[in-house]
Amino acid sequence: MTGNHKDKTITRRRAIAVTGGTVAAGGLAIAGYQSAFADTETTADATATASATSTSTSSTCMTLMTSVTEGPYYLDGALVRKDITEGKSGVPLTLRLTVVDATDGCTPVPGAAVEIWHCDAWGYYSGYTTANPGGSAPAESEDGSTANDATYLRGYQIANGNGVVKFETIFPGWYTPRTCHIHVKVHTGGEKEDGTYEGGKVNYTGQFFFDDDIAQEIFTLEPYAKHSGSYTTLDNDMVYDGGGASSGLLTLKAVHKKDPSKGYKGFLTLGIDPDAESTGAGSGGSGGGTPPSGAPTGEPPSDAPSESATASASASS
């Protein structure tokens, strides 16, 4: 992106207070990380990474205890699958998440269904491909992919015996007035049916966030660089509250230290209450909201999506 990509005009806004809980668990978060990455890392690599992570987490289980808005782009019926890219181009992202019971010593929650969805490299969501992402970007149809416009970059995974799920996706782009993020819901009590996940209840609704320096480096690469405009940093985002991992900030590890285009691995531990139910309420609401010019709430900058784009996206939901 260009040097003026960083947004200096948006004041810090908060659509909702996001608070996190920290539950002592004797290094469970580190063990979860090691098991999640065991398929691609040597034991020495995993041990070294876990040791470094231990310093930052102080041997605690970082949990996301308070749900936040599901945002305006949620769609029912996402597919159960590991790879959600459908050919969408972008920097590869392997996302590994560990679901634990925050009410029971951060023990794993096998069978939990983790659902994620996010925008493509230019800020477009499947199901809402006519919604203007703000700034200047090519039309979503110009990306050359054969992705299904109703399903790309959405999916479920069912947690294994260690409470771990893994997704293969791409680093998300951005749209006005939000920072780079991924949406997430954790479900329990349902089952896989007809390729998706049915029944049960939602225990957690939240969002994952990305380090500004890493995100802005990614956005200088193709195809991200074709989307120019005012990118909202973490400090100016209306949802992220600055709480680090407990507020959804992913820990990222570059696949190749000198070449960010090779991709990243990201991890986080999600602490849920299996008996609780999240409505996804808040800014944007559980019903999907109105994308995207004022969602979540707040006064968007001057290059926010137009009313006509908003109306078109609402009609397609």
Side-chain angles (χ1 to χ4, degrees), residues 76-90:
D76 288 322
L79 302 172
V80 177
R81 54 186 179 171
K82 175 181 174 181
D83 188 335
I84 65 174
T85 59
E86 294 192 18
K88 277 285 183 178
S89 59

mmCIF file with all atom_site columns, all heavy atoms in Angstrom, residues 76-90:
data_model
loop_
_atom_site.group_PDB
_atom_site.id
_atom_site.type_symbol
_atom_site.label_atom_id
_atom_site.label_alt_id
_atom_site.label_comp_id
_atom_site.label_asym_id
_atom_site.label_entity_id
_atom_site.label_seq_id
_atom_site.pdbx_PDB_ins_code
_atom_site.Cartn_x
_atom_site.Cartn_y
_atom_site.Cartn_z
_atom_site.occupancy
_atom_site.B_iso_or_equiv
_atom_site.pdbx_formal_charge
_atom_site.auth_seq_id
_atom_site.auth_comp_id
_atom_site.auth_asym_id
_atom_site.auth_atom_id
_atom_site.pdbx_PDB_model_num
ATOM 1   N N   . ASP A 1 76 ? -25.852 -18.027 7.487  1.00 0.00 ? 76 ASP A N   1
ATOM 2   C CA  . ASP A 1 76 ? -26.051 -19.385 7.974  1.00 0.00 ? 76 ASP A CA  1
ATOM 3   C C   . ASP A 1 76 ? -25.596 -20.392 6.922  1.00 0.00 ? 76 ASP A C   1
ATOM 4   O O   . ASP A 1 76 ? -25.507 -20.085 5.729  1.00 0.00 ? 76 ASP A O   1
ATOM 5   C CB  . ASP A 1 76 ? -27.529 -19.629 8.287  1.00 0.00 ? 76 ASP A CB  1
ATOM 6   C CG  . ASP A 1 76 ? -27.993 -18.911 9.533  1.00 0.00 ? 76 ASP A CG  1
ATOM 7   O OD1 . ASP A 1 76 ? -27.214 -18.842 10.498 1.00 0.00 ? 76 ASP A OD1 1
ATOM 8   O OD2 . ASP A 1 76 ? -29.133 -18.422 9.540  1.00 0.00 ? 76 ASP A OD2 1
ATOM 9   N N   . GLY A 1 77 ? -25.329 -21.613 7.371  1.00 0.00 ? 77 GLY A N   1
ATOM 10  C CA  . GLY A 1 77 ? -25.092 -22.707 6.442  1.00 0.00 ? 77 GLY A CA  1
ATOM 11  C C   . GLY A 1 77 ? -23.686 -22.852 5.925  1.00 0.00 ? 77 GLY A C   1
ATOM 12  O O   . GLY A 1 77 ? -23.469 -23.486 4.885  1.00 0.00 ? 77 GLY A O   1
ATOM 13  N N   . ALA A 1 78 ? -22.685 -22.294 6.630  1.00 0.00 ? 78 ALA A N   1
ATOM 14  C CA  . ALA A 1 78 ? -21.296 -22.472 6.197  1.00 0.00 ? 78 ALA A CA  1
ATOM 15  C C   . ALA A 1 78 ? -20.947 -23.956 6.187  1.00 0.00 ? 78 ALA A C   1
ATOM 16  O O   . ALA A 1 78 ? -21.484 -24.752 6.964  1.00 0.00 ? 78 ALA A O   1
ATOM 17  C CB  . ALA A 1 78 ? -20.353 -21.708 7.115  1.00 0.00 ? 78 ALA A CB  1
ATOM 18  N N   . LEU A 1 79 ? -20.015 -24.344 5.313  1.00 0.00 ? 79 LEU A N   1
ATOM 19  C CA  . LEU A 1 79 ? -19.641 -25.734 5.153  1.00 0.00 ? 79 LEU A CA  1
ATOM 20  C C   . LEU A 1 79 ? -18.614 -26.165 6.193  1.00 0.00 ? 79 LEU A C   1
ATOM 21  O O   . LEU A 1 79 ? -17.795 -25.360 6.640  1.00 0.00 ? 79 LEU A O   1
ATOM 22  C CB  . LEU A 1 79 ? -19.068 -25.960 3.753  1.00 0.00 ? 79 LEU A CB  1
ATOM 23  C CG  . LEU A 1 79 ? -19.994 -25.605 2.582  1.00 0.00 ? 79 LEU A CG  1
ATOM 24  C CD1 . LEU A 1 79 ? -19.231 -25.696 1.264  1.00 0.00 ? 79 LEU A CD1 1
ATOM 25  C CD2 . LEU A 1 79 ? -21.216 -26.512 2.571  1.00 0.00 ? 79 LEU A CD2 1
ATOM 26  N N   . VAL A 1 80 ? -18.657 -27.447 6.563  1.00 0.00 ? 80 VAL A N   1
ATOM 27  C CA  . VAL A 1 80 ? -17.630 -28.013 7.435  1.00 0.00 ? 80 VAL A CA  1
ATOM 28  C C   . VAL A 1 80 ? -16.458 -28.407 6.551  1.00 0.00 ? 80 VAL A C   1
ATOM 29  O O   . VAL A 1 80 ? -16.555 -29.318 5.725  1.00 0.00 ? 80 VAL A O   1
ATOM 30  C CB  . VAL A 1 80 ? -18.156 -29.234 8.202  1.00 0.00 ? 80 VAL A CB  1
ATOM 31  C CG1 . VAL A 1 80 ? -17.041 -29.851 9.056  1.00 0.00 ? 80 VAL A CG1 1
ATOM 32  C CG2 . VAL A 1 80 ? -19.337 -28.857 9.090  1.00 0.00 ? 80 VAL A CG2 1
ATOM 33  N N   . ARG A 1 81 ? -15.337 -27.701 6.693  1.00 0.00 ? 81 ARG A N   1
ATOM 34  C CA  . ARG A 1 81 ? -14.185 -27.946 5.834  1.00 0.00 ? 81 ARG A CA  1
ATOM 35  C C   . ARG A 1 81 ? -12.953 -27.267 6.420  1.00 0.00 ? 81 ARG A C   1
ATOM 36  O O   . ARG A 1 81 ? -13.059 -26.255 7.113  1.00 0.00 ? 81 ARG A O   1
ATOM 37  C CB  . ARG A 1 81 ? -14.431 -27.425 4.417  1.00 0.00 ? 81 ARG A CB  1
ATOM 38  C CG  . ARG A 1 81 ? -14.845 -25.948 4.376  1.00 0.00 ? 81 ARG A CG  1
ATOM 39  C CD  . ARG A 1 81 ? -15.224 -25.516 2.989  1.00 0.00 ? 81 ARG A CD  1
ATOM 40  N NE  . ARG A 1 81 ? -15.643 -24.114 2.938  1.00 0.00 ? 81 ARG A NE  1
ATOM 41  C CZ  . ARG A 1 81 ? -15.855 -23.453 1.818  1.00 0.00 ? 81 ARG A CZ  1
ATOM 42  N NH1 . ARG A 1 81 ? -15.670 -24.056 0.650  1.00 0.00 ? 81 ARG A NH1 1
ATOM 43  N NH2 . ARG A 1 81 ? -16.235 -22.185 1.839  1.00 0.00 ? 81 ARG A NH2 1
ATOM 44  N N   . LYS A 1 82 ? -11.806 -27.805 6.090  1.00 0.00 ? 82 LYS A N   1
ATOM 45  C CA  . LYS A 1 82 ? -10.547 -27.266 6.585  1.00 0.00 ? 82 LYS A CA  1
ATOM 46  C C   . LYS A 1 82 ? -10.071 -26.089 5.737  1.00 0.00 ? 82 LYS A C   1
ATOM 47  O O   . LYS A 1 82 ? -9.621  -25.075 6.256  1.00 0.00 ? 82 LYS A O   1
ATOM 48  C CB  . LYS A 1 82 ? -9.492  -28.373 6.597  1.00 0.00 ? 82 LYS A CB  1
ATOM 49  C CG  . LYS A 1 82 ? -8.097  -27.938 6.974  1.00 0.00 ? 82 LYS A CG  1
ATOM 50  C CD  . LYS A 1 82 ? -7.159  -29.134 6.911  1.00 0.00 ? 82 LYS A CD  1
ATOM 51  C CE  . LYS A 1 82 ? -5.714  -28.736 7.126  1.00 0.00 ? 82 LYS A CE  1
ATOM 52  N NZ  . LYS A 1 82 ? -4.800  -29.909 7.031  1.00 0.00 ? 82 LYS A NZ  1
ATOM 53  N N   . ASP A 1 83 ? -10.137 -26.241 4.404  1.00 0.00 ? 83 ASP A N   1
ATOM 54  C CA  . ASP A 1 83 ? -9.685  -25.203 3.475  1.00 0.00 ? 83 ASP A CA  1
ATOM 55  C C   . ASP A 1 83 ? -10.894 -24.397 3.022  1.00 0.00 ? 83 ASP A C   1
ATOM 56  O O   . ASP A 1 83 ? -11.806 -24.925 2.374  1.00 0.00 ? 83 ASP A O   1
ATOM 57  C CB  . ASP A 1 83 ? -9.004  -25.851 2.273  1.00 0.00 ? 83 ASP A CB  1
ATOM 58  C CG  . ASP A 1 83 ? -8.319  -24.837 1.352  1.00 0.00 ? 83 ASP A CG  1
ATOM 59  O OD1 . ASP A 1 83 ? -8.740  -23.660 1.343  1.00 0.00 ? 83 ASP A OD1 1
ATOM 60  O OD2 . ASP A 1 83 ? -7.372  -25.228 0.640  1.00 0.00 ? 83 ASP A OD2 1
ATOM 61  N N   . ILE A 1 84 ? -10.915 -23.097 3.359  1.00 0.00 ? 84 ILE A N   1
ATOM 62  C CA  . ILE A 1 84 ? -12.073 -22.264 3.035  1.00 0.00 ? 84 ILE A CA  1
ATOM 63  C C   . ILE A 1 84 ? -11.779 -21.267 1.913  1.00 0.00 ? 84 ILE A C   1
ATOM 64  O O   . ILE A 1 84 ? -12.610 -20.415 1.612  1.00 0.00 ? 84 ILE A O   1
ATOM 65  C CB  . ILE A 1 84 ? -12.585 -21.516 4.281  1.00 0.00 ? 84 ILE A CB  1
ATOM 66  C CG1 . ILE A 1 84 ? -11.550 -20.497 4.791  1.00 0.00 ? 84 ILE A CG1 1
ATOM 67  C CG2 . ILE A 1 84 ? -12.971 -22.488 5.377  1.00 0.00 ? 84 ILE A CG2 1
ATOM 68  C CD1 . ILE A 1 84 ? -12.064 -19.617 5.931  1.00 0.00 ? 84 ILE A CD1 1
ATOM 69  N N   . THR A 1 85 ? -10.620 -21.388 1.263  1.00 0.00 ? 85 THR A N   1
ATOM 70  C CA  . THR A 1 85 ? -10.205 -20.360 0.309  1.00 0.00 ? 85 THR A CA  1
ATOM 71  C C   . THR A 1 85 ? -10.987 -20.387 -0.998 1.00 0.00 ? 85 THR A C   1
ATOM 72  O O   . THR A 1 85 ? -11.211 -19.339 -1.608 1.00 0.00 ? 85 THR A O   1
ATOM 73  C CB  . THR A 1 85 ? -8.718  -20.485 -0.024 1.00 0.00 ? 85 THR A CB  1
ATOM 74  O OG1 . THR A 1 85 ? -8.468  -21.789 -0.568 1.00 0.00 ? 85 THR A OG1 1
ATOM 75  C CG2 . THR A 1 85 ? -7.865  -20.290 1.215  1.00 0.00 ? 85 THR A CG2 1
ATOM 76  N N   . GLU A 1 86 ? -11.326 -21.567 -1.497 1.00 0.00 ? 86 GLU A N   1
ATOM 77  C CA  . GLU A 1 86 ? -12.009 -21.728 -2.788 1.00 0.00 ? 86 GLU A CA  1
ATOM 78  C C   . GLU A 1 86 ? -11.253 -21.042 -3.932 1.00 0.00 ? 86 GLU A C   1
ATOM 79  O O   . GLU A 1 86 ? -11.852 -20.543 -4.877 1.00 0.00 ? 86 GLU A O   1
ATOM 80  C CB  . GLU A 1 86 ? -13.441 -21.201 -2.725 1.00 0.00 ? 86 GLU A CB  1
ATOM 81  C CG  . GLU A 1 86 ? -14.344 -21.984 -1.800 1.00 0.00 ? 86 GLU A CG  1
ATOM 82  C CD  . GLU A 1 86 ? -15.814 -21.624 -1.968 1.00 0.00 ? 86 GLU A CD  1
ATOM 83  O OE1 . GLU A 1 86 ? -16.186 -21.032 -2.996 1.00 0.00 ? 86 GLU A OE1 1
ATOM 84  O OE2 . GLU A 1 86 ? -16.587 -21.939 -1.054 1.00 0.00 ? 86 GLU A OE2 1
ATOM 85  N N   . GLY A 1 87 ? -9.943  -20.987 -3.829 1.00 0.00 ? 87 GLY A N   1
ATOM 86  C CA  . GLY A 1 87 ? -9.151  -20.393 -4.896 1.00 0.00 ? 87 GLY A CA  1
ATOM 87  C C   . GLY A 1 87 ? -8.951  -18.897 -4.774 1.00 0.00 ? 87 GLY A C   1
ATOM 88  O O   . GLY A 1 87 ? -8.298  -18.285 -5.635 1.00 0.00 ? 87 GLY A O   1
ATOM 89  N N   . LYS A 1 88 ? -9.485  -18.267 -3.737 1.00 0.00 ? 88 LYS A N   1
ATOM 90  C CA  . LYS A 1 88 ? -9.258  -16.838 -3.525 1.00 0.00 ? 88 LYS A CA  1
ATOM 91  C C   . LYS A 1 88 ? -7.759  -16.595 -3.317 1.00 0.00 ? 88 LYS A C   1
ATOM 92  O O   . LYS A 1 88 ? -7.108  -17.293 -2.536 1.00 0.00 ? 88 LYS A O   1
ATOM 93  C CB  . LYS A 1 88 ? -10.041 -16.349 -2.305 1.00 0.00 ? 88 LYS A CB  1
ATOM 94  C CG  . LYS A 1 88 ? -11.492 -16.021 -2.585 1.00 0.00 ? 88 LYS A CG  1
ATOM 95  C CD  . LYS A 1 88 ? -11.616 -14.713 -3.333 1.00 0.00 ? 88 LYS A CD  1
ATOM 96  C CE  . LYS A 1 88 ? -13.036 -14.307 -3.582 1.00 0.00 ? 88 LYS A CE  1
ATOM 97  N NZ  . LYS A 1 88 ? -13.148 -13.008 -4.279 1.00 0.00 ? 88 LYS A NZ  1
ATOM 98  N N   . SER A 1 89 ? -7.219  -15.604 -4.010 1.00 0.00 ? 89 SER A N   1
ATOM 99  C CA  . SER A 1 89 ? -5.792  -15.340 -3.909 1.00 0.00 ? 89 SER A CA  1
ATOM 100 C C   . SER A 1 89 ? -5.476  -14.466 -2.705 1.00 0.00 ? 89 SER A C   1
ATOM 101 O O   . SER A 1 89 ? -6.282  -13.634 -2.297 1.00 0.00 ? 89 SER A O   1
ATOM 102 C CB  . SER A 1 89 ? -5.279  -14.678 -5.193 1.00 0.00 ? 89 SER A CB  1
ATOM 103 O OG  . SER A 1 89 ? -5.964  -13.455 -5.425 1.00 0.00 ? 89 SER A OG  1
ATOM 104 N N   . GLY A 1 90 ? -4.283  -14.674 -2.159 1.00 0.00 ? 90 GLY A N   1
ATOM 105 C CA  . GLY A 1 90 ? -3.835  -13.908 -1.010 1.00 0.00 ? 90 GLY A CA  1
ATOM 106 C C   . GLY A 1 90 ? -2.707  -14.630 -0.305 1.00 0.00 ? 90 GLY A C   1
ATOM 107 O O   . GLY A 1 90 ? -2.329  -15.743 -0.678 1.00 0.00 ? 90 GLY A O   1
#
